[in-house]
Amino acid sequence: MPPAVTVDEIDFHGWDAVRLSNGIIDAICVPEIGGRLMQFSLGSHDYLFMNPELLGARFTFEEYAGDGTILGWKNYGGAKTWPAPQGWDGEGQWPGPPDPVLDSGRYDYQTSEASVLMTSPPDARSGLRIRRQVTLKPGSSRLQLRLFFENISNRVIRWSIWDVAQMLCSKADGQLNDDCWLYIPTDQTRERPYDVLFGDDNEQYQLHAESGLLAVQYQGIVGKIGVHSPAGWIAFADRRAGFVLCMQFPYEPDAEYPDNGATVECWTESPGAPSPIPIRSPGYILEAEILSPLHTLRPLEIKMQQVTWSAAACPAPIIDVSDVGCVHEPLRVDIDGGWARIRGEFGCFVEGRAEIEFLNVASAVLDRVDLGPVSSMRALHVDAQARIPDGASLIRLSILDVDGADAGTLASLSIPEL
């Protein structure tokens, strides 16, 4: 059995915080500053930006509100949930940050066996109460976010659930790390693979036309894009460190999304970078943002969006993500005289073992090849040779958990006819 999840109330840089840990990943939640997930770590590797100038800082309601412009925003970093669309034209837009209630208010919280539930104060401006539930499971590097919007007003409101994570893009010496990337599958049926929402189109945005994969290479340029991404995943990679963080979300093909159909958005900034409007960036930041469909909520109605974070050591780029791992180099096979050489490069989200399975057309397993133990802390490099059983038509790379149970399929490949 894997170690159980621990949930501890701790002091975190002077804040009252809750730490969830399963021996693989740690998640630090700080309810009193907007219900933030302030840090997420795989082993000793931290993924999220934290503003060093605001660690442990608290402010009054009036100080959080500031002058209403982004220059007055107390940007702590971490990950938080906002309403979208953002804007300043009327009631159906969220004019933040700053927002002294939803972004910076003191959230109530409750802990349970493996999770923490953080609840915002009611916000008359948006008509919302936000709940953020953070849950870990034993034996994996996966964190589940369940995000709830409740209409606490007496009117009908319409919002998208917008989750925003500020990814750390600096090196150990504090300087800009231009080997941080965000990989976003695009919708190849669309005329434009992405929309520039702020700033100019620039060299950070690199589209691989054949695959439709958009790679955002962080260079500290101030800008924002929106992407209608139907694949249901994005992946942040610090290629210098060799770690990735994948985010999975449900996609509803017939639903309406904000900002010209964006399911994913990416904002980048850095200290001193030119900007069309004044900003005061506290660091080298890439925001990985996931949006739900626009929900119409009647009074007291609740809507929920689920986002799953999964961390692994893995080379980049990332070209696919599943519930048990991510793919850097896809599974491939070379056939020679009835023997198969099987190769590929992956990251694993589950602690356990990997095996190659040979299956027939009826999906019956004909043979297995044990590839040994796997861990989120090590990339899985597959280079195995095996004799192909008679009748085999499919090769499957499967992950077993520490108890030997089938955790899921990481990749599969049809066997060419001999």
Side-chain angles (χ1 to χ4, degrees):
M1 293 287 292
V5 176
T6 60
V7 181
D8 300 303
E9 296 182 340
I10 64 169
D11 178 284
F12 186 67
H13 298 286
W15 290 311
D16 297 326
V18 179
R19 179 178 60 208
L20 291 80
S21 179
N22 63 5
I24 304 165
I25 54 173
D26 288 348
I28 307 293
C29 300
V30 185
E32 65 176 296
I33 53 168
R36 274 171 167 75
L37 174 57
M38 202 61 198
Q39 191 52 267
F40 178 79
S41 308
L42 173 61
S44 62
H45 182 77
D46 296 335
Y47 286 96
L48 298 180
F49 169 79
M50 299 192 302
N51 187 344
E53 296 181 359
L54 295 183
L55 290 177
R58 298 177 177 88
F59 299 93
T60 65
F61 183 95
E62 291 74 20
E63 288 171 324
Y64 279 128
D67 63 0
T69 73
I70 198 168
L71 287 174
W73 180 34
K74 306 299 188 291
N75 182 3
Y76 286 108
K80 59 272 179 182
T81 302
W82 293 337
Q86 183 183 43
W88 294 263
D89 296 330
E91 187 175 288
Q93 298 177 334
W94 179 69
D99 182 324
V101 180
L102 299 180
D103 175 71
S104 305
R106 178 180 286 272
Y107 283 40
D108 294 330
Y109 72 94
Q110 300 171 275
T111 61
S112 62
E113 183 178 342
S115 71
V116 58
L117 175 65
M118 300 177 285
T119 303
S120 79
D123 177 48
R125 166 68 178 78
S126 65
L128 287 172
R129 178 184 283 118
I130 294 176
R131 294 185 177 89
R132 308 185 76 228
Q133 185 178 39
V134 181
T135 304
L136 301 189
K137 292 185 177 181
S140 83
S141 62
R142 292 168 64 78
L143 174 149
Q144 182 188 78
L145 286 169
R146 299 181 78 217
L147 312 170
F148 301 87
F149 274 15
E150 178 187 5
N151 183 354
I152 49 83
S153 73
N154 60 4
R155 65 187 191 275
V156 175
I157 58 177
R158 194 165 191 254
W159 295 110
S160 165
I161 302 170
W162 179 21
D163 206 55
V164 179
Q166 293 193 331
M167 313 308 299
L168 180 64
C169 292
S170 59
K171 297 181 288 189
D173 61 4
Q175 298 303 303
L176 183 150
N177 179 1
D178 65 358
D179 217 2
C180 287
W181 300 73
L182 185 67
Y183 299 101
I184 309 170
T186 64
D187 184 348
Q188 293 183 284
T189 67
R190 288 203 160 197
E191 183 179 353
R192 293 195 306 270
Y194 60 90
D195 293 309
V196 177
L197 303 178
F198 187 81
D200 299 319
D201 206 350
N202 60 68
E203 62 269 21
Q204 290 187 128
Y205 314 130
Q206 303 170 22
L207 179 69
H208 187 272
E210 184 178 340
S211 68
L213 187 69
L214 176 65
V216 180
Q217 181 185 14
Y218 178 76
Q219 298 177 33
I221 300 169
V222 176
K224 184 170 185 174
I225 57 170
V227 185
H228 182 82
S229 180
W233 66 266
I234 59 176
F236 171 80
D238 181 342
R239 301 207 314 195
R240 187 179 300 271
F243 288 95
V244 302
L245 174 58
C246 303
M247 301 178 180
Q248 294 169 272
F249 57 93
Y251 170 68
E252 299 181 31
D254 298 323
E256 182 183 356
Y257 288 84
D259 297 341
N260 194 32
T263 61
V264 173
E265 295 180 350
C266 177
W267 163 271
T268 53
E269 64 176 73
S270 64
S275 171
I277 63 170
I279 65 169
R280 187 180 296 120
S281 178
Y284 301 108
I285 300 167
L286 179 152
E287 287 186 353
E289 307 174 5
I290 292 171
L291 299 103
S292 81
L294 285 159
H295 295 299
T296 300
L297 292 92
R298 298 181 298 274
L300 303 181
E301 191 172 4
I302 297 172
K303 293 292 184 180
M304 189 270 287
Q305 166 89 334
Q306 182 168 301
V307 180
T308 302
W309 291 16
S310 304
C314 187
I318 301 302
I319 62 171
D320 198 12
V321 177
S322 73
D323 289 344
V324 292
C326 54
V327 180
H328 168 54
E329 292 184 357
L331 206 63
R332 59 194 189 277
V333 60
D334 295 317
I335 306 294
D336 184 9
W339 285 79
R341 183 180 182 186
I342 306 159
R343 288 175 287 181
E345 192 90 22
F346 308 89
C348 291
F349 306 149
V350 178
E351 305 295 298
R353 303 186 72 81
E355 64 180 21
I356 293 291
E357 298 174 324
F358 291 93
L359 291 81
N360 63 16
V361 292
S363 299
V365 177
L366 303 177
D367 197 9
R368 292 183 171 90
V369 179
D370 182 21
L371 299 179
V374 293
S375 169
S376 301
M377 294 299 298
R378 300 186 306 274
L380 171 58
H381 176 70
V382 176
D383 190 349
Q385 287 188 308
R387 182 172 290 280
I388 303 171
D390 291 340
S393 63
L394 185 74
I395 295 171
R396 186 167 66 191
L397 174 59
S398 296
I399 304 298
L400 311 177
D401 65 21
V402 293
D403 296 321
D406 180 22
T409 299
L410 185 45
S412 60
L413 180 68
S414 296
I415 299 174
E417 289 186 13
L418 300 180

